[in-house]
Each structure stands twice: as structure tokens, then as C-alpha cells.
């Protein structure tokens, strides 16, 4: 004999009921079937709602009643070709239900006893309908009222089963039963005095377990709308998947912490008899589901599941008067027990100075008042403080039998939460080490579950959630590179890089599941207006794990918000060099925030675009080498200009060409004034540990006063035409000395300077072509032959590749 239980969703529509009947028909071919059914999905809540409205003298209870009736009639009409006979009996049942509601309305009272009678209609109706439909299909089916089998005490709404009588009733009935399929309403029972009772939340599962245990069946099947118990909540974590095998203890832990598939008391009747529970999906019966048993299965997973409970209030009782005084805990928990308040979570510091516990948020005010009253005397003497209540919290829990034999589980849990800026309010772990629980803000639950699931279950694949501001030439190239390399990174580096936010100067778009990079321009047509603060707020509101903000602008206001991102543990990648070349105090503050909040701050592209200049310098310093001096050509723009300028091509046209080809800023004065190069050598000096300011750098400009004092870009270009003779003179001097013009940055002995130099033949800078950069590091280890980094130092492609490399570096951290 088999016992199968079908939940509310499984019998929620005519289509689903047909699937239930098909499953029962197939299963009954091999052995007799006991089928326990819940009420049609949502009906129990509606019955309670109607009862409350009636109790409150609110006549809209009749509207809810009509809705309940119409749902059932619609199911019947969709199931049966000629439903008249069924509808007639169901209509009579609804008349009785209506009279009960009218009685509640008249006496203005809804006692637990009446409530049980009211909600019992849900299961009684669904079981009757299903049995009638199966009989209409000529299936060998009998409807048996569970109230005639399951006998309880008079503890209405959560009655306790009299197992001696109940087990005898069940065994006696099924020993005589000849039918292949028996339909039983779940949840409902009857007291020894004959009153209607119910088995409490999850009562239909409980009914099935009671019957399975009494008949000592080989397996109990729980059919629901999901394919088993998942590694975590699949509604919050898309990568969650069903767990094939669980122990009874693991299943109970997961159920207690929010896994709604199974109600913990369900396990108890079958637990003692070691009857396996198989959770299956009515909508996908071919799926394997989850088997819960005592049988040990080989499994490489130390953590079996991650669960959570929302709407938790954390209460803390603390005070010096608690230390060393016996009985405080007893009084506290006795007070809560008297108020019938269930405790979800408990932890106490070894100092005995405080006790912290979690309860349902709906009980918070009641608990606060009761505890303060119970300890009124101690509070008046200031021996303890009034109870502290914190709301808006959730509990997350790692669960697994094998956790106790593996080191580092707690470390992985808390380091993962910490890296994602998820604050832990309280921690609890039993000596069995099967459950590690932590209290966090409810707003962080989705990020926490995704982060932890990624850490413990996803074959070391890390998802990076990237937000890009500044979709110009470089930004577009970066998007293309991420799109092109997505599959490679996922396969070879185990990095799943998703761009979830983009903004330009006018619009911004977001998609927490990842923007479609095949058509990313389309959403901009109907996007929100962009703002620096608005973009930041959206990043924070989305609260995604492994978030990275990428600044592809030259905007000072964007750089001014880096500190806000870092304080939220959002990594920052920037080609915008304003922040790192601003006041040293700001530069240092960003470095400190990066360390404090474990949020990487990378800006390799600040110097040399995609060249690993900053990374090379950092490696030298970190390895104990000492940088003596730096000589560099750091402007691809200026190198391009002086490599193309000659006595046959005027300076104005050369600069125009450089701007057109994307080697200069939109305002070329930034490049030609030397301030950009000064910022770069400043950043290198700071990376070398020198607290230098931009004003400390000598800038020997080759521009004329007219060039430097121009009012606009157009005005600047006019001055270049007017001062062509000046530039030709510079060129002629270099030619006469058999030299090349290079704009050189130098650092030595704590001082730095930038300026145009005539570089002689044979010098490493002499043959520097196109837009290339070169940096020579003279160090204690490289005193005579410098360590040289050389390559393209400007252009959208190489700058984007530098940004991309920083993103990958964060992912690999």
C-alpha cells in the first residue's frame, strides 16, 4: 500500500486535479493507494478571512463566501461534462457553510472550536469533488472521512492525536477495505467527544504521515508544486536546484527555517518507523524530487541547504544584574511561554551580560510588554535594561549533517557575508553543528542567499554584477569585450560577468538579471533620466552580490561618489583619474575605505590605459623593492601628436587628427597642457608611498600663453593656428639636434616634473611610435637596466581592456 498526499496547488485547478487523477491511476496499477488531499489552494485563508469579517459584523464576509463558492463551482464545471449531481451536493454543503458564517455574524464571535469547524470545509469539499470525479471515471475509488479515523483531544486549531485509538481505527478500516484508491481529506480530525478538530498548520502532511505510520507503508509521498526540497529558495536564487537525498534531521531543519514544502511535525510519525518520505512535483511527475530517509547516501556536499525565515524581531535582555544570577533565563522564557510566544532563535554571550532571541515580528510588542512587566523591579533598580526590540530582520541558516566533520564552514559563511556588506546581528550554532544560523537585515536576504549559494553549491562560479556609467567610445568597447568573452570567462575562469546597469549623460537602464548585450541600446529609448545620485541609489537598492561600479567618465562629480560605493562594499573600477589625483587626503581616504569595507578600488587605466603600470609598481613595492626613480612617456595623445607633427604638417591639423581618432579628451587642452601627464606621475608617486600633491609637480609647458589662456576649445584651436611658428621652432630645434620630441614625466628623490624634451637617438624613448607609452622603473633590484613597461597607452580598445582586466582581477580575488 502507498500513501500519497497532494497539496493545495496540486488540487487548485481542474487542470491540476486531472494530473493528480492521472498519477493516482498510474500508481494504483501496482498497489492500493491512500490519497490525502488538501483544500483547494488559498481556500483555507479565504475561510478564515470570511470568519473574521463575520465576527467583525462586516457583511463583506458574504462576498468572500461567494468567491469561495465560485472557485469550487468553476473547478467542478471544468472537470465534469455533466456536473449537476455533484453541484447539487456541493451546493448543499455551501448552504451549511453559509449558515455557519451567518451564525458567527449574529453572535459576533469566532472561537477556536468554531474556527476548526469553519476551516474543515476546505478539505471536506476538495476530497468530495475529487472522489466524485474519479468515481465518474469508473475508477475503483472510495471517499473516507478522516474524522472517522483520526481522534484527538479538544485542543482546537492544533489538536493532539490519540495514537492508540487512531492507529487502531486506521488499521481496522484498511484491513477490510477492498477499493484500489481511498481519498482522505487532510488536516481534519475529530475529538473523543465528537467535535470537529484540526491538526494545525501543515495538517494535511500530518494526516498523511499518521496514516503511513499506522499502516507501516514502505514510503510516504508528498506531492506539491515544486520538484523536491531545494538547496535554497528558488524564487530568490535562480541557480537553486532540488536536493536528491536528505536525512530526517536535515529535512526538519530546512522545514523549520522556511522551506515550505514540508511541515516539521509531519516527519515525526514516520521518523520512528524509518519510513522514507518522497517529495514529488504534481506538475512534473517525471522529476526525481527529494527522498528523506535515514539511509546514508554518498554526497560530496558538506552543506545540504540554505534556508531563511523572514519577519523576525530580535529581542535583547541585558544588564550587569544578570551576571552570575541563576534563574534569569528561566523567568524570561517562562514569561514568553505564558504568552504562547514561540522562540525561533536563541544566543547568549558567555559573559552572561545579555540574552538575545528571535521571535515572529507579529509577537514583538506583546513580548516587549510582557518581559518589561516581568522584570519591572530589576529595571527600576537599573540592574537590567528594558528589553531592546529590533525589527525588519531575517534568519538565514546553513544546514547539513556533514558540517560537523568539516573545518571552515563558519569562516566561509561569515567571510562571504562580510565581503558583500551584509551585517550579522546575531549568531547561533548548536553543538551538533548541523545548523549555523545568523540574523541579518531582511533587505539583505536575497543577496545573502545568492552569495552563499554561489559559495557552497555552484562549482566555484562567481557572478559579477557590473554597473557602468559613461557609455561613450570606451564604454561601448568595454561592453563589446564583456559580451565577446562571457562564455570564455564562465568556462575557464568560473566568472559569470553580467552588466546589470548602464548610464550615459542622459539616460540610465537596469536589469538585475543582466542586460541583453545583443540589444543593449534599445532600452535606452524608454529609460529613466540619469543622475549620478540616482544611479548610485539604484545600485544600492538592487543590493546585488559582488557588485562592481565602473566609471568610464572624466567627470569630477562621479569621482566624488566613489567613497559612497566603497562604504557599501561595492567595488570601484575607474579610468577617471580625478579621484586619485585629487588632494592626497581624498586619495588616502579611498584606499582606507577599500580596506575597511573589503571593497576593491582599482584604477589601472589611470596611467597607461591597458598597460600594467600601476600593477607592476605595486608588485615591486609589495615585494620589498624600493623605487629610486621613474622616467616615462605617459601620454599616448601627446606621443601621437609629436610623432605625426612635422615641418610638412601643421600643429593644428595634427591635434585635430588626434582628437578625431580618439587619442585626446574632448577638450584637447587637458592633454596638451600637461596636466594629464602630471596627474599620472602624481598617481605613480603616491602608489610608491609619497604623499604628494599636484601642486608639487613642476609642469614645464610647451604651449604659449595664448594657448593656455584660451576661453574655449574653438578658441584654443584658433591660437594653435596663430602660434604655428612657435611649434615649428620646437620641431626644428629637435631636428637640428637629431632628437625626437617627447613629453616626459620624471620622478626622483620625492620630486616630480613633466615637460617636453628633446630625446636623443639611442634613448629608449627615441623610437616610441604612434600612441605608445613607456615607463622605466629604476629600483634597488633594477639599478642600471630599468624594468620597462611599454605599449599602446591610448585608444578606446586598450583602455576598455584595462578596465576589463580590473573587473576580472576583482572576480579572481
Amino acid at each position: 500500500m502507498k500513501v500519497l498526499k497532494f497539496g493545495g496547488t496540486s488540487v487548485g485547478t481542474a487542470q491540476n486535479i486531472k494530473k493528480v487523477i492521472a498519477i493516482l491511476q498510474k500508481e494504483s496499477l501496482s498497489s492500493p493507494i491512500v490519497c490525502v488531499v488538501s483544500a483547494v489552494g488559498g481556500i483555507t485563508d479565504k475561510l478564515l478571512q470570511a470568519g473574521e469579517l463575520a465576527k467583525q459584523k462586516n457583511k463583506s464576509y458574504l462576498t468572500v463566501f461567494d468567491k469561495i463558492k465560485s472557485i469550487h463551482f468553476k473547478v467542478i464545471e471544468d472537470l465534469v461534462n455533466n456536473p449537476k449531481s455533484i453541484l447539487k451536493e456541493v451546493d448543499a454543503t455551501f448552504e451549511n457553510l453559509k449558515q455557519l458564517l451567518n451564525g458567527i455574524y449574529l453572535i459576533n464571535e469566532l472561537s477556536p472550536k468554531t474556527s476548526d469547524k469553519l476551516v474543515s470545509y476546505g478539505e471536506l469539499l476538495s476530497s468530495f469533488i475529487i472522489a466524485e470525479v474519479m468515481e465518474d471515471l469508473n475508477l475503483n475509488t472510495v471517499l473516507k472521512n478522516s474524522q472517522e479515523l483520526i481522534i484527538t483531544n479538544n485542543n482546537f486549531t492544533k489538536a493532539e492525536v490519540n495514537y492508540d485509538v487512531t492507529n487502531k481505527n486506521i488499521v481496522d478500516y484498511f484491513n477490510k477495505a477492498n477499493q484500489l484508491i481511498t481519498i482522505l481529506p487532510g488536516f481534519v480530525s475529530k475529538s473523543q467527544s465528537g467535535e470537529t478538530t484540526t491538526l494545525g498548520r501543515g495538517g494535511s502532511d500530518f494526516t498523511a504521515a499518521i496514516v503511513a505510520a499506522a499502516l507501516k507503508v514502505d514510503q510516504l509521498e508528498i506531492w506539491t508544486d515544486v520538484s523536491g526540497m531545494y538547496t535554497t529558495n528558488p524564487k530568490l536564487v535562480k541557480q537553486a536546484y532540488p536536493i536528491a537525498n536528505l536525512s530526517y534531521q536535515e529535512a526538519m531543519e530546512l522545514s523549520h527555517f522556511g522551506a515550505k514544502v514540508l511541515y516539521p511535525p509531519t516527519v515525526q510519525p514516520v521518523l520512528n518507523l524509518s519510513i522514507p518520505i518522497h517529495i514529488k512535483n504534481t506538475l512534473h511527475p517525471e522529476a526525481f524530487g527529494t527522498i528523506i530517509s535515514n539511509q546514508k547516501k554518498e554526497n560530496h556536499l558538506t552543506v545540504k541547504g540554505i534556508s531563511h525565515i523572514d519577519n523576525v524581531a530580535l529581542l535583547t535582555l541585558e544588564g550587569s544584574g544578570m551576571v552570575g544570577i541563576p534563574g534569569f533565563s528561566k523567568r524570561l522564557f517562562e514569561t514568553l511561554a505564558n504568552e504562547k510566544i514561540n522562540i525561533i532563535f536563541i544566543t547568549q554571550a558567555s559573559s552572561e551580560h545579555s540574552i538575545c532571541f528571535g521571535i515572529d515580528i507579529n509577537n514583538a510588542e506583546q513580548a516587549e510588554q510582557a518581559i518589561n512587566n516581568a522584570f519591572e523591579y530589576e529595571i527600576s533598580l537599573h540592574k537590567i535594561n528594558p528589553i531592546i526590540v529590533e525589527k525588519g530582520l531575517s534568519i538565514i541558516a546553513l544546514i547539513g549533517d556533514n558540517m560537523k566533520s568539516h573545518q571552515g564552514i563558519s569562516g566561509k559563511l561569515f567571510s562571504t557575508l562580510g565581503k558583500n556588506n551584509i551585517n550579522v546581528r546575531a549568531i547561533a550554532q548548536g553543538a551538533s553543528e548541523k545548523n549555523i544560523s545568523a540574523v541579518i537585515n531582511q533587505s539583505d536576504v536575497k543577496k545573502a542567499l545568492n552569495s552563499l549559494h554561489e559559495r557552497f553549491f555552484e562549482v566555484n562560479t562567481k557572478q559579477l554584477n557590473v554597473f557602468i556609467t559613461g557609455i561613450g567610445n570606451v564604454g561601448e568597447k568595454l561592453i563589446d569585450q564583456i559580451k565577446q568573452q562571457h562564455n570564455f570567462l564562465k568556462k575557464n575562469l568560473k566568472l559569470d560577468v553580467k552588466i546589470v546597469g548602464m548610464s550615459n549623460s542622459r539616460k540610465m537602464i537596469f536589469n538585475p538579471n543582466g542586460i541583453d548585450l545583443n540589444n543593449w541600446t534599445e532600452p535606452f529609448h524608454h529609460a529613466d533620466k540619469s543622475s549620478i545620485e540616482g544611479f548610485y541609489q539604484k545600485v544600492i537598492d538592487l543590493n546585488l552580490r559582488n557588485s562592481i561600479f565602473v566609471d568610464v567618465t572624466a567627470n569630477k562629480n562621479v569621482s566624488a561618489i566613489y567613497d559612497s560605493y566603497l562604504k557599501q562594499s561595492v567595488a570601484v573600477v575607474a579610468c577617471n583619474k580625478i579621484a586619485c589625483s585629487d588632494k592626497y587626503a581624498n586619495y588616502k581616504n579611498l584606499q582606507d575605505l577599500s580596506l575597511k569595507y573589503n571593497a576593491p578600488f582599482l584604477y589601472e587605466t589611470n596611467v597607461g590605459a591597458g598597460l600594467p603600470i600601476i600593477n607592476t609598481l605595486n608588485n615591486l613595492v609589495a615585494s620589498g623593492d624600493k623605487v629610486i626613480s621613474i622616467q616615462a612617456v605617459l601620454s599616448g595623445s601627446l606621443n601621437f601628436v609629436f610623432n605625426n607633427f612635422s615641418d610638412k604638417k601643421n600643429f593644428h591639423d595634427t591635434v585635430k587628427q588626434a582628437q578625431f581618432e580618439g587619442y585626446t579628451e574632448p577638450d584637447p587642452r587637458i592633454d596638451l597642457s600637461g596636466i594629464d601627464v602630471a596627474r599620472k606621475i602624481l598617481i605613480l608617486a603616491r602608489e610608491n608611498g609619497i604623499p604628494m600633491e599636484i601642486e608639487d609637480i613642476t609642469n614645464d609647458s610647451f604651449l604659449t600663453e595664448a594657448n593656455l589662456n584660451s576661453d574655449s576649445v574653438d578658441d584654443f584651436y584658433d591660437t594653435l593656428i596663430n602660434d604655428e611658428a612657435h611649434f615649428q621652432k620646437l620641431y626644428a630645434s629637435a631636428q637640428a639636434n637629431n632628437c625626437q620630441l617627447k613629453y616626459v614625466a620624471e620622478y626622483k628623490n620625492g620630486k616630480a616634473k613633466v615637460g617636453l624634451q628633446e630625446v636623443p637617438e639611442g634613448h629608449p624613448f627615441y623610437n616610441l611610435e604612434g600612441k605608445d607609452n613607456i615607463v622605466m622603473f629604476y629600483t634597488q633590484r633594477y639599478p642600471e637596466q630599468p624594468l620597462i613597461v611599454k605599449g599602446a597607452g591610448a585608444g578606446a580598445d586598450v583602455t576598455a581592456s584595462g578596465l576589463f582586466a580590473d573587473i576580472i582581477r576583482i572576480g579572481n580575488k
Side-chain angles (χ1 to χ4, degrees), residues 38 121 126 133 151 226 233 265 281 316 331 339 402 420 510 546 622 743 795:
S38 295
Y121 277 89
S126 64
V133 172
I151 306 303
V226 292
N233 187 339
N281 189 343
T316 304
R331 289 174 61 194
E339 297 291 324
N402 296 330
N420 285 280
F510 298 90
N546 306 321
Y743 201 86

Side-chain angles (χ1 to χ4, degrees), residues 19-282:
K19 292 180 179 180
V20 170
I21 293 171
I23 291 167
L24 293 174
Q25 194 169 8
K26 180 181 178 182
E27 294 277 349
S28 66
L29 295 176
S30 57
S31 69
I33 297 295
V34 179
C35 172
V36 178
V37 296
S38 295
V40 171
I43 291 301
T44 301
D45 288 339
K46 285 183 170 60
L47 286 165
L48 289 170
Q49 180 189 9
E52 281 297 320
L53 290 170
K55 173 186 170 183
Q56 296 166 13
K57 288 288 189 180
N58 186 332
K59 288 190 175 181
S60 58
Y61 78 90
L62 292 171
T63 303
V64 179
F65 167 80
D66 289 338
K67 178 65 176 174
I68 295 169
K69 185 175 180 179
S70 67
I71 289 172
H72 285 86
F73 276 40
K74 177 72 165 60
V75 167
I76 294 168
E77 289 166 357
D78 290 344
L79 276 172
V80 185
N81 293 327
N82 186 14
K84 288 184 179 179
S85 60
I86 299 178
L87 287 174
K88 184 178 179 181
E89 290 203 40
V90 170
D91 196 38
T93 301
F94 271 106
E95 280 302 310
N96 293 334
L97 172 59
K98 189 174 183 180
Q99 288 178 20
L100 176 60
L101 287 168
N102 290 339
I104 295 169
Y105 178 83
L106 290 171
I107 64 174
N108 196 29
E109 183 183 343
L110 180 59
S111 66
K113 178 179 176 181
T114 306
S115 179
D116 270 2
K117 194 171 189 64
L118 176 66
V119 295
S120 70
Y121 277 89
E123 274 73 12
L124 294 173
L125 281 164
S126 64
S127 59
F128 174 77
I129 293 168
I130 293 170
E132 287 294 308
V133 172
M134 294 182 71
E135 189 175 328
D136 192 54
L137 294 171
N138 295 318
L139 298 174
N140 187 1
T141 305
V142 170
L143 172 64
K144 178 64 175 176
N145 191 339
S146 302
Q147 294 171 312
E148 297 171 7
L149 301 175
I150 300 176
I151 306 303
T152 70
N153 63 8
N154 284 325
N155 188 14
F156 297 104
T157 75
K158 195 175 182 181
E160 295 172 12
V161 177
N162 183 326
Y163 284 101
D164 290 337
V165 176
T166 296
N167 289 343
K168 185 177 185 305
N169 288 345
I170 293 170
V171 171
D172 288 347
Y173 174 77
F174 284 101
N175 279 342
K176 298 174 184 176
N178 296 316
Q179 67 271 13
L180 279 178
I181 302 171
T182 305
I183 305 296
L184 296 177
F187 182 52
V188 297
S189 49
K190 190 167 287 187
S191 72
Q192 289 171 309
S193 59
E195 299 289 350
T196 295
T197 57
T198 60
L199 300 176
R201 186 181 132 238
S204 292
D205 286 356
F206 199 12
T207 300
I210 292 167
V211 174
L215 298 177
K216 295 181 174 58
V217 299
D218 294 331
Q219 181 173 277
L220 166 63
E221 295 181 8
I222 304 290
W223 290 78
T224 180
D225 59 347
V226 292
S227 300
M229 297 186 80
Y230 278 65
T231 47
T232 192
N233 187 339
K235 293 179 181 178
L236 299 179
V237 181
K238 289 190 172 183
Q239 293 77 18
Y241 57 86
I243 308 165
N245 294 280
L246 287 170
S247 70
Y248 291 116
Q249 290 74 20
E250 287 170 332
M252 284 192 289
E253 291 279 6
L254 284 169
S255 298
H256 175 71
F257 279 90
K260 305 298 184 186
V261 176
L262 193 68
Y263 181 51
T266 298
V267 180
Q268 202 57 50
V270 295
L271 176 63
N272 297 333
L273 298 174
S274 297
I275 296 173
I277 302 172
H278 196 173
I279 299 171
K280 297 275 286 178
N281 189 343
T282 307

Side-chain angles (χ1 to χ4, degrees), residues 289-410:
T290 299
I291 294 179
I292 302 166
S293 69
N294 277 332
Q295 187 176 355
K296 297 293 183 182
K297 297 284 183 179
E298 289 297 323
N299 197 309
H300 67 282
L301 295 176
T302 53
V303 176
K304 283 291 192 71
I306 310 166
S307 201
H308 75 288
I309 302 174
D310 288 332
N311 301 314
V312 171
L314 192 65
L315 281 71
T316 304
L317 186 67
E318 63 180 14
S320 58
M322 295 170 58
V323 180
I325 306 298
F328 259 90
S329 298
K330 176 180 180 295
R331 289 174 61 194
L332 171 62
F333 297 128
E334 201 170 63
T335 300
L336 294 170
N338 291 336
E339 297 291 324
K340 296 186 177 179
I341 295 173
N342 183 47
I343 299 172
I344 306 169
F345 173 102
I346 305 171
T347 185
Q348 181 174 16
S350 59
S351 66
E352 301 182 56
H353 185 264
S354 66
I355 301 174
C356 179
F357 58 94
I359 61 174
D360 188 291
I361 197 169
N362 294 318
N363 297 323
E365 291 183 9
Q366 179 187 357
E368 180 182 17
Q369 184 176 350
I371 294 168
N372 284 338
N373 288 340
F375 292 93
E376 184 177 9
Y377 178 68
E378 288 84 355
I379 292 171
S380 68
L381 296 178
H382 304 289
K383 288 186 175 182
I384 65 170
N385 301 325
I387 194 79
I388 300 168
V389 180
E390 299 172 80
K391 298 180 181 180
L393 302 173
S394 293
I395 299 173
I396 56 168
L398 292 187
I399 292 159
D401 286 342
N402 296 330
M403 284 164 44
K404 60 185 175 183
S405 57
H406 286 77
Q407 294 76 26
I409 300 295
S410 297

Side-chain angles (χ1 to χ4, degrees), residues 493-514:
L493 298 183
K494 305 301 181 186
L495 295 177
D496 184 12
V497 182
K498 293 183 182 292
I499 301 177
V500 293
M502 299 180 189
S503 74
N504 55 30
S505 59
R506 300 177 303 280
K507 300 282 188 177
M508 59 184 184
I509 59 172
F510 298 90
N511 185 337
N513 297 318

